Amino acid sequence: MVKITFDKAAKKEFLELIDKEVDEDGMIVEKSNPNQRVVTFDGQEISIDEFGGVKKGSEVFIKNNIVSLMRLLKR
């Protein structure tokens, strides 16, 4: 199994590419509206530490844990 790990700096650079940023609490927010935090497919806010990726073709944010990945696969 291949595992790719990114540090916070790389995660922040990726988020910049999709017009997101990280607020002072470490939560991912909309760059155009820093008061609006992004959420996962099940409605949970997500921090930079939990960030695992974004589903292709959407802005469905995925936490970096097996439960989130399993839930995504069932959708």
Side-chain angles (χ1 to χ4, degrees):
M1 178 193 273
V2 176
K3 181 178 181 180
I4 300 173
T5 304
F6 296 98
D7 65 7
K8 281 187 184 178
K11 288 180 181 182
K12 286 181 179 180
E13 285 184 41
F14 175 77
L15 291 171
E16 283 279 325
L17 293 173
I18 58 171
D19 294 322
K20 307 294 182 261
E21 61 187 14
V22 179
D23 69 11
E24 63 275 355
D25 296 325
M27 303 303 285
I28 301 172
V29 297
E30 297 289 339
K31 188 186 290 187
S32 62
N33 182 3
N35 293 322
Q36 183 180 348
R37 292 180 171 175
V38 302
V39 294
T40 61
F41 59 90
D42 58 350
Q44 296 180 17
E45 294 176 346
I46 185 169
S47 72
I48 188 74
D49 293 330
E50 298 171 308
F51 179 61
V54 179
K55 183 179 175 187
K56 183 179 176 181
S58 70
E59 286 198 358
V60 174
F61 285 77
I62 307 161
K63 289 188 177 183
N64 61 353
N65 61 52
I66 192 69
V67 174
S68 294
L69 294 174
M70 295 300 291
R71 286 181 182 158
L72 178 65
L73 292 173
K74 289 182 180 181
R75 297 186 121 230

